[in-house]
Every structure is written in structure tokens, then in C-alpha cells.
Amino acid sequence: MSRAFEVVLGVVVVAVFGVFAYFLTSNQIAASASDTSYVAIFRKVDGLKAGDAVRIGGVTVGRVNKVEVDPETFEVLATLEVDTQYVLTQRAQASVLSNGLLGGVYVALEAGFGEPLEANGYIENTTDALNFTELINQVISSVAFGFGSAGDDQ
């Protein structure tokens, strides 16, 4: 192989790696023409951010486009981009769930029943994110107090 070929090959490899890295780290999610926007209203979302997955039955059907706090109500508004083949209804439910103990979070949707929800419609039937730290603290507190009171009964 010639030296020029090796240089060109190296440049191509670096360019492909750069494009791949850009798409992995990009937080800007562009909605495609085949997506419908919905806005889910939460009280807390613990780590949900633009780019996180939106799933129905564990299958990714869209992405979170934007997460913001309503300055008047202090509710969290998560704009979801969902493929148009999945039509949500006015009774749709959205939940913020964890990918695992060390993983990120995603939005799980249940389509619900009733009339179809319009584009940019609000999903009000939501379940907030579960904070594992708070849960562990509650378990530790209840166990500690439980052991202290068990001997008092005798």
C-alpha cells in the first residue's frame, strides 16, 4: 500500500468516527415528518432529557424532544415525538421509568382508549419518576424503626 492511500484511509476512518460520535452525543432531536408531537405533564422527571426514548410495550416508538418547567404551575412539560403510526388517545398514560439501577430513564406510553389525542395534545394521565435514593432511605428508616419497636412488645 502506498503512503497516500494510508493517509486517505486514515482521514476517512476519523471522519466516520467523528460523525458517529456527533450523533451519539447530540441532544437536539429533530422531529421527522412521520412524527406526532404530544406534551406529557409531570410533577418530577428525575433525569429525563431530550433524546431519551419513548416506548410502548418496551419498543422504542419515538424520542423526548424537549423537557421544560412551566413557570406558572411549576409542572414539567415533556414534549414527545411519536411515530404517526401510533395514535394515542385522550386516555393515554405516560410514565417515567428507569432503565435500571445505573441506567437512564425513558417515557413509557400506554395508548389508552377513547377519542384520538390531537397533535400537540396534552397527556395528563402521568406517573412521575421513582427516585431510588428516596426509596432506599424509606426502606432503611422503616427497617431501623421496625427493629427498635419489635423488642418493646415483650
Side-chain angles (χ1 to χ4, degrees), residues 20-146:
F20 181 71
Y22 170 77
F23 283 113
L24 280 179
T25 59
S26 175
N27 284 335
Q28 297 299 323
I29 305 302
S32 72
S34 64
D35 288 343
T36 303
S37 292
Y38 301 102
V39 179
I41 303 170
F42 296 99
R43 286 182 305 225
K44 65 179 186 173
V45 293
D46 288 355
L48 186 69
K49 62 187 179 311
D52 286 341
V54 174
R55 299 178 183 166
I56 296 176
V59 177
T60 300
V61 297
R63 295 273 170 219
V64 176
N65 190 40
K66 182 170 52 170
V67 179
E68 60 188 342
V69 176
D70 183 321
E72 293 178 15
T73 64
F74 295 101
E75 294 173 319
V76 179
L77 307 176
T79 303
L80 314 176
E81 302 295 335
V82 178
D83 190 303
T84 55
Q85 69 178 329
Y86 304 102
V87 178
L88 300 182
T89 66
Q90 293 176 357
R91 294 280 189 143
Q93 181 174 350
S95 303
V96 177
L97 300 178
S98 173
N99 277 326
L101 289 175
L102 300 176
V105 295
Y106 66 94
V107 176
L109 293 176
E110 293 183 29
F113 57 90
E115 295 295 317
L117 187 60
E118 296 178 12
N120 298 311
Y122 289 92
I123 303 171
E124 297 179 10
N125 188 11
T126 59
T127 304
D128 296 331
L130 178 63
N131 185 319
F132 284 111
T133 305
E134 289 176 12
L135 183 63
I136 290 170
N137 286 338
Q138 288 176 354
V139 169
I140 290 171
S141 295
S142 65
V143 167
F145 289 121

